[in-house]
Amino acid sequence: MKTYLLLSIAIISLVSCKTDTNDDGNVAYFGGEIINPNTNFVIISKAEKVLDTILLDKSNRFLYKLKHIESGLYTFKHGGEVQMVFLEPNDSIIFRINTLEFDESLVYTGEGAKKNNYLMNEFLENENEEPEIFKYSQLEPAAFEHKLDSVKSIKTKKFQNFIKKHKTSELFNKVAQSNIDYKYYANKEIYPFIHYGEGKHNIINSLPKNFYSYRANINYNDDFLKDYFNYNAFLRSNFSNQALKQHFKHTKECQVKRSSICYNLDRLNIIDSLVTNKTIKNDLLYHNTMMFLAKNQNLDSNDVIVESFLNKSTDVKGKTMVSDYAKSLTKLKPGENFPNIEVLNYKNSAFNSNDLINAPTAICFWSHSFYDHFKNSHNKIKELKAKYPEVNFIIINIDDHNTGKWVTTLEKNRYPLTNEYQFKNPEASRHLLAIHPMTKVIVINKNNKIVNNNANIFAVDFEQDLLGLINQ
């Protein structure tokens, strides 16, 4: 806390002295203290443009001056974690954060802190509300809408009270109101997918005519909100939903399969037809293509989706990543040998992965960037080890951090170091094994043959996979 106070004093001193400089007053200060840092730097960005990379000092702190600042949302990145901060001229904001609980530990102070703490609290409340929204989604449309309207009404009243109490700008008000609106819209868009029923076709037909009336006023090319989480979450849900309706126009099926090539082509086509902003379009095309490839078990159908993506996207880097990812998946087909990867144990000794596979094996991955997954997956693996001692669980950290970082994290959480490793060459290994999403698990038989290249230890059928593996 002492270092946090010193940083606050430093910012106050800098702000008080800025009138002695040549600045026109259009500046802001942003700094912070990072506990358990993953790297020794922080990256500050506006939209897709990196403004600067700032090194942390010996106390894991930094202080940065933004000159000629453009009001709006900025991004700061540390390790694999990303968070938004709203900055305006004359702001002097500092934060304190623990990487082991990134979002939950984030606290702002200083001039401009109240608006950012408000936005951060809204984000966390939205996360906490998700289980309730899931329950509401089992209700009939009218009842679901009534529950959702009540949630939005509470948020709106809270926001109105905030702007009455604090002096806020029109731009901040736009961001805060968009946060409420687009979360509400996204929850309505996912309703057909979450609702249990005889079929998605029947659910869509049962919706009131004005259920999606807000779509008439949606800007699918909002350049200001294009980097904002709730806006992007809405767009992804919206296009998945619109594709669902389009898909049912040329199929007799009542229940859509999310892995359907036809459905996924419909989604890419609708994105291409409605979005003209290149950044938004390329992001949506990339996200949905990667999501399909990551979940698709029939690798022979990947080429059709990849070709559609390549014809629509203008992002050269995204095209390369999708093409390379698809090629890596092809090499990981069931029946193929698991590729030999070099890994390091907690003593920094190197091993070839194939030398570690002498029994039915499940290879799991984790990263500091997904801390909840790290804890949940390790707890689940402990449970599975006890039930299936015949299966060898190899757990690999995929980060670029040095050996001490991942070992320390395991020790702090009191997880055993046995069968825990880190990639010797993280970037090359992540690429070769096509690690996306983080929940991915590769199941291998005792002969080093891949049985399942995209399992999930939390899936309901995972234990059936293990039983089948043991009985081979």
Side-chain angles (χ1 to χ4, degrees):
M1 186 58 71
K2 181 179 179 181
T3 57
Y4 196 44
L5 178 60
L6 290 173
L7 186 59
S8 302
I9 295 172
I11 285 187
I12 293 171
S13 300
L14 281 171
V15 174
S16 64
C17 293
K18 72 180 179 184
T19 53
D20 297 328
T21 71
N22 294 324
D23 292 327
D24 57 4
N26 195 30
V27 300
Y29 294 86
F30 182 60
E33 177 186 2
I34 299 178
I35 302 168
N36 296 311
N38 293 325
T39 63
N40 65 342
F41 61 89
V42 171
I43 299 173
I44 306 293
S45 305
K46 180 76 169 71
E48 293 186 309
K49 182 181 179 182
V50 174
L51 301 181
D52 212 340
T53 299
I54 308 111
L55 292 176
L56 303 178
D57 65 17
K58 293 180 180 179
S59 299
N60 298 323
R61 296 175 291 153
F62 76 95
L63 181 61
Y64 184 66
K65 179 179 180 179
L66 294 94
K67 301 178 180 179
H68 312 297
I69 184 173
E70 177 186 354
S71 297
L73 292 164
Y74 288 73
T75 299
F76 67 93
K77 301 179 182 179
H78 176 74
E81 297 284 1
V82 181
Q83 190 51 263
M84 307 294 291
V85 59
F86 184 84
L87 292 172
E88 296 178 289
N90 300 316
D91 280 348
S92 51
I93 299 173
I94 61 173
F95 67 86
R96 192 166 188 259
I97 201 166
N98 188 330
T99 61
L100 299 184
E101 294 181 334
F102 198 85
D103 295 331
E104 291 78 4
S105 67
L106 180 58
V107 178
Y108 294 102
T109 190
E111 187 67 32
K114 287 184 174 63
K115 58 195 175 189
N116 280 287
N117 284 328
Y118 169 85
L119 293 174
M120 191 68 225
N121 288 335
E122 279 291 296
F123 173 79
L124 294 175
E125 284 180 13
N126 286 338
E127 284 193 331
N128 292 333
E129 287 169 359
E130 286 183 3
E132 287 300 311
I133 299 300
F134 184 88
K135 291 179 183 177
Y136 297 159
S137 297
Q138 311 315 318
L139 301 172
E140 293 305 304
F144 167 76
E145 191 170 37
H146 175 73
K147 289 285 189 181
L148 215 57
D149 288 344
S150 297
V151 172
K152 184 182 180 184
S153 177
I154 293 171
K155 291 180 181 294
T156 301
K157 288 178 181 177
K158 180 182 175 182
F159 171 55
Q160 293 300 323
N161 289 334
F162 181 85
I163 61 178
K164 285 179 183 178
K165 186 177 180 181
H166 305 285
K167 186 178 179 180
T168 57
S169 65
E170 290 185 11
L171 193 61
F172 170 78
N173 293 346
K174 177 184 177 181
V175 170
Q177 188 62 56
S178 296
N179 184 45
I180 296 171
D181 291 341
Y182 280 106
K183 182 61 179 177
Y184 173 79
Y185 300 155
N187 285 334
K188 295 191 92 173
E189 295 290 344
I190 64 174
Y191 174 73
F193 295 99
I194 300 178
H195 184 75
Y196 295 130
E198 295 181 0
K200 303 307 176 187
H201 187 275
N202 296 335
I203 294 168
I204 289 177
N205 289 338
S206 71
L207 297 176
K209 289 184 179 180
N210 63 346
F211 195 78
Y212 293 122
S213 59
Y214 57 82
R215 287 181 180 174
N217 300 315
I218 293 297
N219 179 4
Y220 289 101
N221 300 281
D222 196 320
D223 196 62
F224 176 76
L225 292 176
K226 70 178 184 295
D227 301 302
Y228 198 44
F229 177 81
N230 278 2
Y231 178 68
N232 285 300
F234 161 75
L235 291 179
R236 292 173 182 180
S237 299
N238 174 266
F239 285 114
S240 292
N241 202 354
Q242 290 200 60
L244 196 64
K245 187 174 182 179
Q246 179 66 26
H247 182 65
F248 285 132
K249 289 181 179 180
H250 47 74
T251 181
K252 294 180 180 180
E253 296 177 355
C254 186
Q255 187 72 270
V256 68
K257 293 181 180 179
R258 301 291 286 271
S259 61
S260 163
I261 295 179
C262 178
Y263 167 71
N264 282 276
L265 288 175
D266 285 336
R267 181 162 52 188
L268 295 181
N269 288 335
I270 291 172
I271 292 170
D272 190 43
S273 66
L274 292 182
V275 184
T276 56
N277 182 291
K278 288 185 178 180
T279 301
I280 297 174
K281 176 182 284 191
N282 288 335
D283 178 72
L284 287 167
L285 292 172
Y286 175 84
H287 169 79
N288 286 289
T289 300
M290 288 292 284
M291 186 170 64
F292 172 83
L293 295 176
K295 295 181 178 180
N296 186 33
Q297 295 295 326
N298 181 12
L299 298 184
D300 294 333
S301 62
N302 283 351
D303 290 345
V304 177
I305 300 297
V306 171
E307 182 181 3
S308 178
F309 165 79
L310 295 176
N311 288 335
K312 295 174 176 61
S313 176
T314 59
D315 179 21
V316 176
K317 182 179 178 181
K319 287 184 174 183
T320 300
M321 292 176 68
V322 165
S323 297
D324 289 348
Y325 181 67
K327 291 175 184 176
S328 295
L329 288 173
T330 300
K331 295 177 182 178
L332 296 170
K333 282 184 178 181
E336 297 291 331
N337 287 324
F338 181 76
N340 199 19
I341 302 290
E342 280 194 287
V343 293
L344 303 172
N345 71 356
Y346 66 98
K347 295 180 179 179
N348 210 32
S349 299
F351 296 85
N352 290 321
S353 60
N354 286 352
D355 292 337
L356 303 174
I357 301 170
N358 51 19
T361 302
I363 300 183
C364 312
F365 309 97
W366 69 275
S367 167
H368 289 89
S369 300
F370 302 91
Y371 193 71
D372 285 343
H373 170 262
F374 157 70
K375 293 180 72 174
N376 293 336
S377 61
H378 274 76
N379 292 335
K380 183 66 176 179
I381 289 169
K382 180 181 178 180
E383 173 191 323
L384 292 171
K385 281 181 176 179
K387 292 177 71 174
Y388 304 98
E390 305 93 334
V391 178
N392 183 26
F393 286 86
I394 295 176
I395 312 168
I396 304 177
N397 174 262
I398 72 168
D399 296 326
D400 295 296
H401 313 143
N402 59 37
T403 303
K405 173 69 178 178
W406 69 275
V407 173
T408 299
T409 301
L410 289 167
E411 289 177 334
K412 279 184 177 180
N413 287 274
R414 298 181 180 180
Y415 293 130
L417 300 177
T418 306
N419 282 350
E420 292 275 0
Y421 301 92
Q422 184 181 48
F423 286 135
K424 185 176 182 180
N425 300 297
E427 184 175 357
S429 299
R430 291 194 300 263
H431 172 77
L432 183 61
L433 297 183
I435 301 175
H436 177 85
M438 184 53 59
T439 54
K440 174 177 183 150
V441 174
I442 301 177
V443 179
I444 306 161
N445 67 19
K446 62 183 179 181
N447 299 317
N448 199 41
K449 299 290 185 181
I450 297 172
V451 175
N452 189 334
N453 64 7
N454 192 20
N456 185 334
I457 58 173
F458 301 104
V460 293
D461 58 352
F462 183 72
E463 293 192 43
Q464 291 297 321
D465 288 346
L466 293 184
L467 289 172
L469 186 66
I470 294 169
N471 293 327
Q472 280 190 358

